[in-house]
Amino acid sequence: MSKVRFEALETLFHRKPIEIPITNEKISDYYGSKVFGEQQMRQHLPGDAFKSVQKSIQDGNRVERTVADQVAAAMKEWAITQGVTHYTHWFQPLTGSTAEKHDAFFEPTEGGGAIEKFRGSMLVQQEPDASSFPNGGIRNTFEARGYTAWDPSSPAFVIGTTLCIPTIFISYTGEALDNKMPLLKALHAIDKVATDVCQYFDKNINKVSATLGWEQEYFLIDTALFNARPDLMMTGRALFGQAPAKGQQLDDHYFGTIPERVGGFMREFEREALELGIPIKTRHNEVAPNQFECAPIFEEANLAVDHNLLLMDLMEKIAVKHDFKVLLHEKPFAGLNGSGKHNNWSLATNTGVNLLQPGKNPKENIRFLTFFVNTIKAIYDHADILRASIASASNDHRLGANEAPPAIMSVFIGEKLTEMLDNLEKNIKSGSMTAEEKTALKLDIGKIPTLLMDNTDRNRTSPFAFTGNKFEFRAVGSTANCATPMITLNTIMTKQLKAFKVAVDARIKKGEKKDIAILKELQKIIKESKSIRFEGNGYGEEWVKEAKKRGLSNLKDTPRALAVYKDKKTVDLFESEGIFTPVELEARHEIELEKYVMKIQIEARMIEDLAKNHILPSAILYQNRLIKNVQGLKEIFGKEFKQHANAQIELITDISDRIGELKKNLDNMLAERKKVNQIDSEEKKAIAYCDKVKPYFDKIAYLVNKLELSIDDELWPLPKLRELLFTK
Ligand code: ADP
Ligand code: MG
């Protein structure tokens, strides 16, 4: 056994869970204690300053400079009581993770002293060097400088001794270089139009917030074993590995008892998450061995996105203490379930109404149907853009594979609502309706039960499913920043609601009664968007054929999914809703393609390294042992040695064949890579990596896995999947 593998397994043998003392503290004692939230603001700010900030947050407006100075002073005062010495603008560059640059509060004074200083200007703006972050060409055309600007709608928080201030990140010429700025724009856009539409139903509604409840799936691997797998370290997934004899086929892991060491890790990161105001609520074992999930209570989408990013960081940090590595990759192990991050999405009003919650009477249900049916139409019209919003090299391994939603976008709504929509489609007459017909229609609409959250009516195979009072976008990958799908979903919904409002207003103007105008428009939309609805098995081959017949896209890889960003329809959509300028959109397309190319390139290099430097030498070593054995048999048995050495000779031949195949595939992949690297266009290069290089991954893994099965376990250099996945 290789030294690293041996030592890793040995370390594992002596592992003990860290004792986490059980105290009688209640969660409410420490929830949000590290957040400068509304309560802290109220405590530390003069009354009118507090009111002014709250109003800016409500309306999405800039905080006045004098108020910003007051907030900065209050923040500093509060932070110092928490032992804070530094502050940072915390932002989301387009790398997919978060970034921060710490500055100390202290400033030297004349005479060799120092004071703690934090002015409004430092709170409001910082200037990190933008040149080291992805910009997709924006920097070439404009200036290299960028700056971060305070987002007062997401509260500042303390990590260690640093005060973190959530910010947007933009270029000096105003282009977004992050995910937060377009998200805030999309949330503002949907607020406005959804509020307008709500006026049909309730004049008291003056704000609509998109809500997001994410569910984060992940794997935990022991650090020692992780460190002995260079592929996990470099790419986040096992590039090789024979599937263990026992995987998830017994379904004995899902909701099973949480192992003690894992439990300790969970308790500790949840505690820190709760202190940071992340309302983490649920934890359980997932389907695959060593796979888990956690989920908070849903929040306003901007805050929920920040909290998810924060939580991913936190998990990785706390895991180290427990000698675990968190794998957030969408498909760390071929043949086992991958990890997703379901995005539960809805719209909530200032009056406390969930717009995707069926109501108690016909009036409430017309409101429900309005938002429900318009969502379906938005997905129907923009399925490809939604697909692009979740495209990544790592999510490609998951979509359409082993128990993951397919790359085909469709909407599941369940039997009851399907029936309801079918009725609406049939029962609304095109001409004018009699009073009886109208009453019958309203009665029918009144029959939607308040609670549709019946678990039997759930279809786990749908990428976009209605689950009783919200839609669940399941195709989002576990590593993703939820901002990307949330930007898209809220933008397409904005566009749809605007069109709906215009159409209904036109009908009303022509003399139709409001309710009838709404219902007739809904009927039209139901008809138009019918083909995006699918209630069957999304994992089946049949669906692929059926979807093709319906004209739905099945964009299986990232470069092709991203191509929609070039379409005029996409450019117009994001521009007209004020979310991305054409330059910003093009930059994002470019950045995503670059990321794809780099990810595949790194995997290819890692495969070459592992196969040539770890696998082939081990195979040759074992073969030499066999050859020596055959030679020995020949010495003893002379001419008759063959009848005693048949099996060994067969093994030698098998190994020779595999070595030859493996070497040939590695050489061919390298040659292909060299060619592909010459391509200038980022898009063509990404497609070439996808079509010409990536197909070698599976061929090579297959050969390596066969060798793993035939070579002496003692000589195998890498921890095996059964060792990685069944540690407690
Ligand atoms: P599961 O999908 O695992 O069965 P649930 O349906 O109970 O779990 O809820 C999943 C997630 O949906 C939770 O994170 C919850 O906070 C979120 N959720 C519930 N209601 C809403 C809503 N109105 N808007 C957004 N998310 C919501
Ligand atoms: Mg779910």
PDB file of all heavy atoms in Angstrom, residues 211-215 254 284 293 295-299 342 344-347 354 453 455 458 460 467 469-470 472 474, ligand 1:
ATOM      1  N   THR A 211     -38.811  35.472  -2.175  1.00  0.00           N
ATOM      2  CA  THR A 211     -38.267  34.715  -1.045  1.00  0.00           C
ATOM      3  C   THR A 211     -37.502  33.507  -1.572  1.00  0.00           C
ATOM      4  O   THR A 211     -37.832  32.950  -2.622  1.00  0.00           O
ATOM      5  CB  THR A 211     -39.385  34.223  -0.108  1.00  0.00           C
ATOM      6  OG1 THR A 211     -40.368  33.536  -0.891  1.00  0.00           O
ATOM      7  CG2 THR A 211     -40.037  35.385   0.611  1.00  0.00           C
ATOM      8  N   LEU A 212     -36.487  33.121  -0.833  1.00  0.00           N
ATOM      9  CA  LEU A 212     -35.665  31.975  -1.233  1.00  0.00           C
ATOM     10  C   LEU A 212     -35.368  31.120  -0.011  1.00  0.00           C
ATOM     11  O   LEU A 212     -34.914  31.625   1.023  1.00  0.00           O
ATOM     12  CB  LEU A 212     -34.347  32.482  -1.850  1.00  0.00           C
ATOM     13  CG  LEU A 212     -33.225  31.455  -2.020  1.00  0.00           C
ATOM     14  CD1 LEU A 212     -33.614  30.356  -3.003  1.00  0.00           C
ATOM     15  CD2 LEU A 212     -31.933  32.128  -2.485  1.00  0.00           C
ATOM     16  N   GLY A 213     -35.630  29.837  -0.154  1.00  0.00           N
ATOM     17  CA  GLY A 213     -35.224  28.863   0.868  1.00  0.00           C
ATOM     18  C   GLY A 213     -34.390  27.814   0.157  1.00  0.00           C
ATOM     19  O   GLY A 213     -34.915  27.066  -0.641  1.00  0.00           O
ATOM     20  N   TRP A 214     -33.099  27.803   0.430  1.00  0.00           N
ATOM     21  CA  TRP A 214     -32.229  26.839  -0.263  1.00  0.00           C
ATOM     22  C   TRP A 214     -32.018  25.614   0.600  1.00  0.00           C
ATOM     23  O   TRP A 214     -32.140  25.658   1.822  1.00  0.00           O
ATOM     24  CB  TRP A 214     -30.880  27.468  -0.651  1.00  0.00           C
ATOM     25  CG  TRP A 214     -30.291  28.347   0.410  1.00  0.00           C
ATOM     26  CD1 TRP A 214     -30.370  29.707   0.479  1.00  0.00           C
ATOM     27  CD2 TRP A 214     -29.547  27.944   1.577  1.00  0.00           C
ATOM     28  NE1 TRP A 214     -29.730  30.166   1.603  1.00  0.00           N
ATOM     29  CE2 TRP A 214     -29.209  29.118   2.286  1.00  0.00           C
ATOM     30  CE3 TRP A 214     -29.132  26.710   2.072  1.00  0.00           C
ATOM     31  CZ2 TRP A 214     -28.476  29.091   3.475  1.00  0.00           C
ATOM     32  CZ3 TRP A 214     -28.405  26.680   3.262  1.00  0.00           C
ATOM     33  CH2 TRP A 214     -28.087  27.861   3.944  1.00  0.00           C
ATOM     34  N   GLU A 215     -31.717  24.524  -0.057  1.00  0.00           N
ATOM     35  CA  GLU A 215     -31.366  23.294   0.657  1.00  0.00           C
ATOM     36  C   GLU A 215     -29.987  22.882   0.162  1.00  0.00           C
ATOM     37  O   GLU A 215     -29.801  22.670  -1.023  1.00  0.00           O
ATOM     38  CB  GLU A 215     -32.373  22.193   0.343  1.00  0.00           C
ATOM     39  CG  GLU A 215     -33.812  22.545   0.706  1.00  0.00           C
ATOM     40  CD  GLU A 215     -34.814  21.627   0.016  1.00  0.00           C
ATOM     41  OE1 GLU A 215     -34.707  20.402   0.168  1.00  0.00           O
ATOM     42  OE2 GLU A 215     -35.677  22.143  -0.712  1.00  0.00           O
ATOM     43  N   TYR A 254     -30.374   7.340   3.875  1.00  0.00           N
ATOM     44  CA  TYR A 254     -31.297   8.475   3.863  1.00  0.00           C
ATOM     45  C   TYR A 254     -32.027   8.577   5.196  1.00  0.00           C
ATOM     46  O   TYR A 254     -32.630   7.609   5.650  1.00  0.00           O
ATOM     47  CB  TYR A 254     -32.298   8.299   2.721  1.00  0.00           C
ATOM     48  CG  TYR A 254     -33.098   9.536   2.404  1.00  0.00           C
ATOM     49  CD1 TYR A 254     -32.461  10.745   2.131  1.00  0.00           C
ATOM     50  CD2 TYR A 254     -34.476   9.495   2.377  1.00  0.00           C
ATOM     51  CE1 TYR A 254     -33.193  11.881   1.833  1.00  0.00           C
ATOM     52  CE2 TYR A 254     -35.220  10.630   2.076  1.00  0.00           C
ATOM     53  CZ  TYR A 254     -34.562  11.818   1.808  1.00  0.00           C
ATOM     54  OH  TYR A 254     -35.290  12.944   1.520  1.00  0.00           O
ATOM     55  N   HIS A 284     -30.135  16.498   7.862  1.00  0.00           N
ATOM     56  CA  HIS A 284     -30.345  15.056   7.780  1.00  0.00           C
ATOM     57  C   HIS A 284     -29.341  14.389   6.862  1.00  0.00           C
ATOM     58  O   HIS A 284     -28.656  15.038   6.088  1.00  0.00           O
ATOM     59  CB  HIS A 284     -31.789  14.721   7.365  1.00  0.00           C
ATOM     60  CG  HIS A 284     -32.198  15.234   6.011  1.00  0.00           C
ATOM     61  ND1 HIS A 284     -31.824  14.619   4.840  1.00  0.00           N
ATOM     62  CD2 HIS A 284     -32.946  16.295   5.642  1.00  0.00           C
ATOM     63  CE1 HIS A 284     -32.334  15.288   3.812  1.00  0.00           C
ATOM     64  NE2 HIS A 284     -33.011  16.323   4.268  1.00  0.00           N
ATOM     65  N   GLU A 293     -27.500  16.954   4.226  1.00  0.00           N
ATOM     66  CA  GLU A 293     -28.174  18.170   3.758  1.00  0.00           C
ATOM     67  C   GLU A 293     -28.483  19.077   4.938  1.00  0.00           C
ATOM     68  O   GLU A 293     -28.744  18.613   6.043  1.00  0.00           O
ATOM     69  CB  GLU A 293     -29.505  17.805   3.068  1.00  0.00           C
ATOM     70  CG  GLU A 293     -30.270  19.032   2.599  1.00  0.00           C
ATOM     71  CD  GLU A 293     -31.622  18.703   1.986  1.00  0.00           C
ATOM     72  OE1 GLU A 293     -31.674  17.955   0.992  1.00  0.00           O
ATOM     73  OE2 GLU A 293     -32.630  19.209   2.514  1.00  0.00           O
ATOM     74  N   ALA A 295     -30.748  22.897   5.714  1.00  0.00           N
ATOM     75  CA  ALA A 295     -31.629  23.907   5.123  1.00  0.00           C
ATOM     76  C   ALA A 295     -32.090  24.886   6.186  1.00  0.00           C
ATOM     77  O   ALA A 295     -32.369  24.498   7.315  1.00  0.00           O
ATOM     78  CB  ALA A 295     -32.833  23.235   4.469  1.00  0.00           C
ATOM     79  N   PRO A 296     -32.152  26.154   5.823  1.00  0.00           N
ATOM     80  CA  PRO A 296     -32.672  27.156   6.750  1.00  0.00           C
ATOM     81  C   PRO A 296     -34.145  27.418   6.490  1.00  0.00           C
ATOM     82  O   PRO A 296     -34.711  26.922   5.522  1.00  0.00           O
ATOM     83  CB  PRO A 296     -31.873  28.402   6.360  1.00  0.00           C
ATOM     84  CG  PRO A 296     -31.711  28.252   4.881  1.00  0.00           C
ATOM     85  CD  PRO A 296     -31.691  26.773   4.572  1.00  0.00           C
ATOM     86  N   ILE A 297     -34.733  28.244   7.320  1.00  0.00           N
ATOM     87  CA  ILE A 297     -36.054  28.792   7.021  1.00  0.00           C
ATOM     88  C   ILE A 297     -35.846  29.830   5.921  1.00  0.00           C
ATOM     89  O   ILE A 297     -34.820  30.526   5.920  1.00  0.00           O
ATOM     90  CB  ILE A 297     -36.642  29.461   8.277  1.00  0.00           C
ATOM     91  CG1 ILE A 297     -36.816  28.402   9.365  1.00  0.00           C
ATOM     92  CG2 ILE A 297     -37.958  30.158   7.963  1.00  0.00           C
ATOM     93  CD1 ILE A 297     -37.112  28.971  10.723  1.00  0.00           C
ATOM     94  N   PHE A 298     -36.790  29.919   4.996  1.00  0.00           N
ATOM     95  CA  PHE A 298     -36.600  30.834   3.864  1.00  0.00           C
ATOM     96  C   PHE A 298     -36.536  32.292   4.319  1.00  0.00           C
ATOM     97  O   PHE A 298     -37.063  32.653   5.376  1.00  0.00           O
ATOM     98  CB  PHE A 298     -37.710  30.637   2.833  1.00  0.00           C
ATOM     99  CG  PHE A 298     -39.064  31.095   3.297  1.00  0.00           C
ATOM    100  CD1 PHE A 298     -39.504  32.381   3.021  1.00  0.00           C
ATOM    101  CD2 PHE A 298     -39.901  30.250   3.997  1.00  0.00           C
ATOM    102  CE1 PHE A 298     -40.750  32.810   3.442  1.00  0.00           C
ATOM    103  CE2 PHE A 298     -41.156  30.667   4.436  1.00  0.00           C
ATOM    104  CZ  PHE A 298     -41.574  31.952   4.157  1.00  0.00           C
ATOM    105  N   GLU A 299     -35.890  33.106   3.485  1.00  0.00           N
ATOM    106  CA  GLU A 299     -35.743  34.535   3.787  1.00  0.00           C
ATOM    107  C   GLU A 299     -35.916  35.329   2.499  1.00  0.00           C
ATOM    108  O   GLU A 299     -35.994  34.757   1.408  1.00  0.00           O
ATOM    109  CB  GLU A 299     -34.337  34.819   4.316  1.00  0.00           C
ATOM    110  CG  GLU A 299     -33.983  34.077   5.584  1.00  0.00           C
ATOM    111  CD  GLU A 299     -32.545  34.333   5.993  1.00  0.00           C
ATOM    112  OE1 GLU A 299     -31.618  33.698   5.432  1.00  0.00           O
ATOM    113  OE2 GLU A 299     -32.342  35.186   6.854  1.00  0.00           O
ATOM    114  N   HIS A 342     -31.457  22.816  -3.980  1.00  0.00           N
ATOM    115  CA  HIS A 342     -32.811  23.199  -4.377  1.00  0.00           C
ATOM    116  C   HIS A 342     -33.063  24.642  -3.983  1.00  0.00           C
ATOM    117  O   HIS A 342     -32.783  25.036  -2.861  1.00  0.00           O
ATOM    118  CB  HIS A 342     -33.839  22.303  -3.689  1.00  0.00           C
ATOM    119  CG  HIS A 342     -33.708  20.859  -4.080  1.00  0.00           C
ATOM    120  ND1 HIS A 342     -34.460  19.862  -3.535  1.00  0.00           N
ATOM    121  CD2 HIS A 342     -32.914  20.254  -4.987  1.00  0.00           C
ATOM    122  CE1 HIS A 342     -34.146  18.711  -4.073  1.00  0.00           C
ATOM    123  NE2 HIS A 342     -33.195  18.921  -4.962  1.00  0.00           N
ATOM    124  N   ASN A 344     -35.978  26.963  -3.319  1.00  0.00           N
ATOM    125  CA  ASN A 344     -37.423  27.155  -3.123  1.00  0.00           C
ATOM    126  C   ASN A 344     -37.711  28.637  -3.232  1.00  0.00           C
ATOM    127  O   ASN A 344     -37.106  29.437  -2.525  1.00  0.00           O
ATOM    128  CB  ASN A 344     -37.839  26.635  -1.752  1.00  0.00           C
ATOM    129  CG  ASN A 344     -37.627  25.134  -1.626  1.00  0.00           C
ATOM    130  OD1 ASN A 344     -38.478  24.343  -1.999  1.00  0.00           O
ATOM    131  ND2 ASN A 344     -36.459  24.731  -1.135  1.00  0.00           N
ATOM    132  N   TRP A 345     -38.634  28.956  -4.116  1.00  0.00           N
ATOM    133  CA  TRP A 345     -38.843  30.366  -4.441  1.00  0.00           C
ATOM    134  C   TRP A 345     -40.318  30.741  -4.388  1.00  0.00           C
ATOM    135  O   TRP A 345     -41.182  29.970  -4.802  1.00  0.00           O
ATOM    136  CB  TRP A 345     -38.282  30.618  -5.848  1.00  0.00           C
ATOM    137  CG  TRP A 345     -38.619  31.935  -6.457  1.00  0.00           C
ATOM    138  CD1 TRP A 345     -37.931  33.101  -6.308  1.00  0.00           C
ATOM    139  CD2 TRP A 345     -39.705  32.228  -7.351  1.00  0.00           C
ATOM    140  NE1 TRP A 345     -38.530  34.099  -7.037  1.00  0.00           N
ATOM    141  CE2 TRP A 345     -39.621  33.595  -7.684  1.00  0.00           C
ATOM    142  CE3 TRP A 345     -40.754  31.469  -7.883  1.00  0.00           C
ATOM    143  CZ2 TRP A 345     -40.533  34.221  -8.537  1.00  0.00           C
ATOM    144  CZ3 TRP A 345     -41.664  32.088  -8.719  1.00  0.00           C
ATOM    145  CH2 TRP A 345     -41.541  33.454  -9.053  1.00  0.00           C
ATOM    146  N   SER A 346     -40.584  31.903  -3.853  1.00  0.00           N
ATOM    147  CA  SER A 346     -41.952  32.408  -3.874  1.00  0.00           C
ATOM    148  C   SER A 346     -41.924  33.931  -3.808  1.00  0.00           C
ATOM    149  O   SER A 346     -40.855  34.547  -3.881  1.00  0.00           O
ATOM    150  CB  SER A 346     -42.755  31.829  -2.710  1.00  0.00           C
ATOM    151  OG  SER A 346     -44.116  32.165  -2.884  1.00  0.00           O
ATOM    152  N   LEU A 347     -43.106  34.542  -3.691  1.00  0.00           N
ATOM    153  CA  LEU A 347     -43.216  36.000  -3.592  1.00  0.00           C
ATOM    154  C   LEU A 347     -44.071  36.331  -2.379  1.00  0.00           C
ATOM    155  O   LEU A 347     -45.146  35.754  -2.214  1.00  0.00           O
ATOM    156  CB  LEU A 347     -43.866  36.569  -4.863  1.00  0.00           C
ATOM    157  CG  LEU A 347     -43.085  36.385  -6.167  1.00  0.00           C
ATOM    158  CD1 LEU A 347     -43.959  36.726  -7.369  1.00  0.00           C
ATOM    159  CD2 LEU A 347     -41.813  37.224  -6.184  1.00  0.00           C
ATOM    160  N   ASN A 354     -48.352  35.091   1.044  1.00  0.00           N
ATOM    161  CA  ASN A 354     -47.493  34.362   0.110  1.00  0.00           C
ATOM    162  C   ASN A 354     -48.284  34.232  -1.193  1.00  0.00           C
ATOM    163  O   ASN A 354     -49.318  33.568  -1.235  1.00  0.00           O
ATOM    164  CB  ASN A 354     -47.161  32.990   0.698  1.00  0.00           C
ATOM    165  CG  ASN A 354     -46.433  32.100  -0.302  1.00  0.00           C
ATOM    166  OD1 ASN A 354     -46.201  32.477  -1.448  1.00  0.00           O
ATOM    167  ND2 ASN A 354     -46.076  30.903   0.140  1.00  0.00           N
ATOM    168  N   MET A 453     -49.802  20.868   0.048  1.00  0.00           N
ATOM    169  CA  MET A 453     -48.506  20.251   0.310  1.00  0.00           C
ATOM    170  C   MET A 453     -48.635  18.785   0.702  1.00  0.00           C
ATOM    171  O   MET A 453     -48.165  18.346   1.740  1.00  0.00           O
ATOM    172  CB  MET A 453     -47.776  21.024   1.392  1.00  0.00           C
ATOM    173  CG  MET A 453     -47.174  22.282   0.841  1.00  0.00           C
ATOM    174  SD  MET A 453     -46.239  23.136   2.072  1.00  0.00           S
ATOM    175  CE  MET A 453     -47.523  23.680   3.134  1.00  0.00           C
ATOM    176  N   ASN A 455     -47.562  15.171   0.391  1.00  0.00           N
ATOM    177  CA  ASN A 455     -46.312  14.536  -0.044  1.00  0.00           C
ATOM    178  C   ASN A 455     -46.482  13.493  -1.133  1.00  0.00           C
ATOM    179  O   ASN A 455     -45.553  13.215  -1.868  1.00  0.00           O
ATOM    180  CB  ASN A 455     -45.579  13.927   1.147  1.00  0.00           C
ATOM    181  CG  ASN A 455     -44.661  14.951   1.763  1.00  0.00           C
ATOM    182  OD1 ASN A 455     -43.941  15.639   1.052  1.00  0.00           O
ATOM    183  ND2 ASN A 455     -44.696  15.057   3.070  1.00  0.00           N
ATOM    184  N   ARG A 458     -45.890  14.549  -4.999  1.00  0.00           N
ATOM    185  CA  ARG A 458     -44.599  15.170  -5.269  1.00  0.00           C
ATOM    186  C   ARG A 458     -43.866  14.375  -6.319  1.00  0.00           C
ATOM    187  O   ARG A 458     -43.861  13.156  -6.296  1.00  0.00           O
ATOM    188  CB  ARG A 458     -43.768  15.209  -4.002  1.00  0.00           C
ATOM    189  CG  ARG A 458     -44.226  16.316  -3.108  1.00  0.00           C
ATOM    190  CD  ARG A 458     -43.111  16.682  -2.185  1.00  0.00           C
ATOM    191  NE  ARG A 458     -43.501  17.867  -1.432  1.00  0.00           N
ATOM    192  CZ  ARG A 458     -42.666  18.544  -0.684  1.00  0.00           C
ATOM    193  NH1 ARG A 458     -41.410  18.168  -0.584  1.00  0.00           N
ATOM    194  NH2 ARG A 458     -43.065  19.613  -0.045  1.00  0.00           N
ATOM    195  N   ARG A 460     -40.223  13.984  -7.631  1.00  0.00           N
ATOM    196  CA  ARG A 460     -38.832  14.326  -7.332  1.00  0.00           C
ATOM    197  C   ARG A 460     -37.980  14.448  -8.600  1.00  0.00           C
ATOM    198  O   ARG A 460     -36.815  14.807  -8.530  1.00  0.00           O
ATOM    199  CB  ARG A 460     -38.217  13.272  -6.410  1.00  0.00           C
ATOM    200  CG  ARG A 460     -38.903  13.183  -5.085  1.00  0.00           C
ATOM    201  CD  ARG A 460     -38.169  14.028  -4.044  1.00  0.00           C
ATOM    202  NE  ARG A 460     -39.005  14.245  -2.879  1.00  0.00           N
ATOM    203  CZ  ARG A 460     -38.870  15.263  -2.047  1.00  0.00           C
ATOM    204  NH1 ARG A 460     -37.934  16.163  -2.278  1.00  0.00           N
ATOM    205  NH2 ARG A 460     -39.647  15.394  -1.009  1.00  0.00           N
ATOM    206  N   THR A 467     -44.522  22.941  -5.109  1.00  0.00           N
ATOM    207  CA  THR A 467     -44.638  22.096  -3.921  1.00  0.00           C
ATOM    208  C   THR A 467     -45.593  22.718  -2.897  1.00  0.00           C
ATOM    209  O   THR A 467     -45.261  22.878  -1.739  1.00  0.00           O
ATOM    210  CB  THR A 467     -43.254  21.818  -3.299  1.00  0.00           C
ATOM    211  OG1 THR A 467     -42.539  23.058  -3.204  1.00  0.00           O
ATOM    212  CG2 THR A 467     -42.439  20.865  -4.122  1.00  0.00           C
ATOM    213  N   ASN A 469     -46.869  25.642  -1.968  1.00  0.00           N
ATOM    214  CA  ASN A 469     -46.957  27.080  -1.715  1.00  0.00           C
ATOM    215  C   ASN A 469     -45.718  27.809  -2.222  1.00  0.00           C
ATOM    216  O   ASN A 469     -45.407  28.916  -1.813  1.00  0.00           O
ATOM    217  CB  ASN A 469     -47.151  27.361  -0.227  1.00  0.00           C
ATOM    218  CG  ASN A 469     -46.011  26.800   0.598  1.00  0.00           C
ATOM    219  OD1 ASN A 469     -45.115  26.141   0.071  1.00  0.00           O
ATOM    220  ND2 ASN A 469     -46.037  27.064   1.879  1.00  0.00           N
ATOM    221  N   LYS A 470     -44.955  27.130  -3.098  1.00  0.00           N
ATOM    222  CA  LYS A 470     -43.712  27.692  -3.648  1.00  0.00           C
ATOM    223  C   LYS A 470     -43.277  26.826  -4.808  1.00  0.00           C
ATOM    224  O   LYS A 470     -43.742  25.692  -4.934  1.00  0.00           O
ATOM    225  CB  LYS A 470     -42.624  27.668  -2.579  1.00  0.00           C
ATOM    226  CG  LYS A 470     -42.295  26.233  -2.124  1.00  0.00           C
ATOM    227  CD  LYS A 470     -41.439  26.185  -0.877  1.00  0.00           C
ATOM    228  CE  LYS A 470     -41.085  24.781  -0.474  1.00  0.00           C
ATOM    229  NZ  LYS A 470     -42.158  23.962   0.103  1.00  0.00           N
ATOM    230  N   GLU A 472     -40.025  24.903  -6.528  1.00  0.00           N
ATOM    231  CA  GLU A 472     -38.723  24.399  -6.107  1.00  0.00           C
ATOM    232  C   GLU A 472     -37.887  24.151  -7.363  1.00  0.00           C
ATOM    233  O   GLU A 472     -38.201  23.270  -8.154  1.00  0.00           O
ATOM    234  CB  GLU A 472     -38.935  23.102  -5.318  1.00  0.00           C
ATOM    235  CG  GLU A 472     -37.668  22.509  -4.773  1.00  0.00           C
ATOM    236  CD  GLU A 472     -37.938  21.397  -3.752  1.00  0.00           C
ATOM    237  OE1 GLU A 472     -39.076  21.280  -3.257  1.00  0.00           O
ATOM    238  OE2 GLU A 472     -36.999  20.638  -3.476  1.00  0.00           O
ATOM    239  N   ARG A 474     -34.934  22.635  -8.794  1.00  0.00           N
ATOM    240  CA  ARG A 474     -34.067  21.586  -8.270  1.00  0.00           C
ATOM    241  C   ARG A 474     -32.805  21.366  -9.086  1.00  0.00           C
ATOM    242  O   ARG A 474     -31.943  20.585  -8.716  1.00  0.00           O
ATOM    243  CB  ARG A 474     -34.827  20.261  -8.243  1.00  0.00           C
ATOM    244  CG  ARG A 474     -36.068  20.276  -7.410  1.00  0.00           C
ATOM    245  CD  ARG A 474     -36.351  18.875  -6.924  1.00  0.00           C
ATOM    246  NE  ARG A 474     -37.591  18.819  -6.181  1.00  0.00           N
ATOM    247  CZ  ARG A 474     -38.732  18.375  -6.695  1.00  0.00           C
ATOM    248  NH1 ARG A 474     -38.777  17.963  -7.939  1.00  0.00           N
ATOM    249  NH2 ARG A 474     -39.813  18.339  -5.953  1.00  0.00           N
TER     250      ARG A 474
HETATM  251  P1  ADP B   1     -38.254  19.357   1.191  1.00  0.00           P
HETATM  252  O1  ADP B   1     -38.212  19.932  -0.180  1.00  0.00           O
HETATM  253  O2  ADP B   1     -36.899  18.827   1.599  1.00  0.00           O
HETATM  254  O3  ADP B   1     -39.330  18.361   1.384  1.00  0.00           O
HETATM  255  P2  ADP B   1     -39.756  21.565   2.474  1.00  0.00           P
HETATM  256  O4  ADP B   1     -40.715  21.486   1.383  1.00  0.00           O
HETATM  257  O5  ADP B   1     -40.238  21.407   3.877  1.00  0.00           O
HETATM  258  O6  ADP B   1     -38.528  20.541   2.265  1.00  0.00           O
HETATM  259  O7  ADP B   1     -39.039  22.976   2.421  1.00  0.00           O
HETATM  260  C1  ADP B   1     -37.885  23.171   1.741  1.00  0.00           C
HETATM  261  C2  ADP B   1     -37.474  24.591   1.845  1.00  0.00           C
HETATM  262  O8  ADP B   1     -38.484  25.427   1.315  1.00  0.00           O
HETATM  263  C3  ADP B   1     -37.148  25.135   3.237  1.00  0.00           C
HETATM  264  O9  ADP B   1     -35.850  25.698   3.205  1.00  0.00           O
HETATM  265  C4  ADP B   1     -38.184  26.200   3.428  1.00  0.00           C
HETATM  266  O10 ADP B   1     -37.680  27.280   4.187  1.00  0.00           O
HETATM  267  C5  ADP B   1     -38.478  26.620   2.007  1.00  0.00           C
HETATM  268  N1  ADP B   1     -39.734  27.371   1.862  1.00  0.00           N
HETATM  269  C6  ADP B   1     -40.922  27.151   2.467  1.00  0.00           C
HETATM  270  N2  ADP B   1     -41.811  28.122   2.121  1.00  0.00           N
HETATM  271  C7  ADP B   1     -41.176  28.973   1.278  1.00  0.00           C
HETATM  272  C8  ADP B   1     -41.529  30.184   0.604  1.00  0.00           C
HETATM  273  N3  ADP B   1     -42.735  30.720   0.711  1.00  0.00           N
HETATM  274  N4  ADP B   1     -40.591  30.782  -0.159  1.00  0.00           N
HETATM  275  C9  ADP B   1     -39.372  30.264  -0.286  1.00  0.00           C
HETATM  276  N5  ADP B   1     -38.981  29.142   0.328  1.00  0.00           N
HETATM  277  C10 ADP B   1     -39.855  28.504   1.108  1.00  0.00           C
END
